[in-house]
Amino acid sequence: IYVVDEDGRFSSFNPATNPPSFVDITPSLGCPVQAGFFGLVKPTPYSMSVDRNAVAWVLYSSGDLFRVDTARGACTKTAFAPNQAGFQLMGMGFVANAPMRNLDTLYVAGGAGPDSGTASRLGTVDMSSLKIAPAGSLTGWPELTGTGLAELWGFYPDTSPPKIAKINKTTGGEDMVYPLATLQGEPAAWAFAFWGGDFWVFLMRTSDSDTTVYRVSGSTGALTTVLASTGRTIVGAGVSTCAPVSLL
């Protein structure tokens, strides 16, 4: 699983070590973003997903989308136009088009932002034209992840209670829900990925000093705290849809 911090630190996270561990790839992505608000506010990473070729796609708070080489952390700006169809900020997740097939689609959940008082919408991104096609409506502001089994899932930190839900890729409806009452609290930074049959939640609430990593069983929804006091503020996570859907 690849992760990006709010300060631009780009790392890998290995769920298979004991305990699971981070390895920093670059201390800062250094993506070429321009400061907004008369130069007083510098945009920061907001979300990330990783395609099946292990290329990371990082969205900044400015709405700019960057292509990142996961081996070196090298960053290239794309021609993606911010605020398409009202998708200014968004969570992202690549999903296989069919179970265990070698094509995937980038799904997004976005809108004006979590502080706008509006729910997000589901959409897809054409990776050739980098154009967004809106789809169904969502509740809350989920971060997304996909699986090699062609399933789209979301982690909703701002609902009551927080939850992980399997999302209908056409309507945005929720086909299966795992409530996570112990994660209740105002979210400050969150990311989400599927690996090895389980979900991996990276969450920092306003009452927390940094990100805690949780594992949620893909079969039962049982939650386990994996790493606390990471010293990180993780805002994006991504894993290729080639990643194992089971370790058995």
Side-chain angles (χ1 to χ4, degrees):
I1 301 173
Y2 294 95
V3 298
V4 64
D5 290 24
E6 189 175 48
D7 63 4
R9 176 165 47 170
F10 186 74
S11 313
S12 64
F13 173 76
N14 188 348
T17 60
N18 187 18
S21 55
F22 292 96
V23 174
D24 293 340
I25 296 171
T26 180
S28 179
L29 285 177
C31 294
V33 291
Q34 294 183 345
F37 298 101
F38 305 101
L40 299 178
V41 178
K42 182 179 179 180
T44 58
Y46 182 82
S47 182
M48 180 177 75
S49 191
V50 175
D51 66 24
R52 66 184 304 103
N53 296 313
V55 173
W57 299 82
V58 179
L59 181 77
Y60 271 66
S61 56
S62 60
D64 295 306
L65 183 66
F66 295 87
R67 188 181 188 275
V68 174
D69 174 1
T70 54
R72 299 178 295 114
C75 184
T76 304
K77 187 173 183 179
T78 71
F80 178 82
N83 203 24
Q84 293 181 45
F87 283 72
Q88 176 63 26
L89 296 174
M90 53 195 182
M92 306 187 296
F94 280 94
V95 186
N97 291 350
M100 310 313 295
R101 296 296 178 90
N102 60 359
L103 295 175
D104 49 24
T105 296
L106 178 59
Y107 285 82
V108 294
D115 298 328
S116 65
T118 60
S120 61
R121 292 184 296 156
L122 186 65
T124 59
V125 180
D126 183 320
M127 298 307 292
S128 297
S129 64
L130 295 179
K131 300 294 185 182
I132 293 179
S137 299
L138 298 167
T139 59
W141 278 82
E143 188 56 89
L144 304 178
T145 192
T147 75
L149 296 177
E151 297 172 345
L152 174 65
W153 291 80
F155 167 57
Y156 297 73
D158 57 337
T159 58
S160 185
K163 62 188 176 183
I164 287 175
K166 183 180 177 183
I167 300 172
N168 185 295
K169 292 184 287 185
T170 301
T171 67
E174 298 166 8
D175 296 334
M176 182 184 299
V177 176
Y178 293 142
L180 303 171
T182 56
L183 300 187
Q184 193 82 42
E186 184 179 356
W190 61 97
F192 183 49
F194 177 84
W195 187 93
D198 293 326
F199 300 103
W200 300 82
V201 172
F202 305 82
L203 177 64
M204 174 180 167
R205 292 162 291 194
T206 55
S207 58
D208 300 327
S209 59
D210 53 17
T211 293
T212 296
V213 183
Y214 304 90
R215 180 176 63 224
V216 178
S217 168
S219 57
T220 68
L223 181 143
T224 305
T225 300
V226 174
L227 286 175
S229 302
T230 60
R232 300 167 182 264
T233 302
I234 295 173
V235 295
V239 59
S240 167
T241 52
C242 294
V245 297
S246 174
L247 296 182
L248 298 179

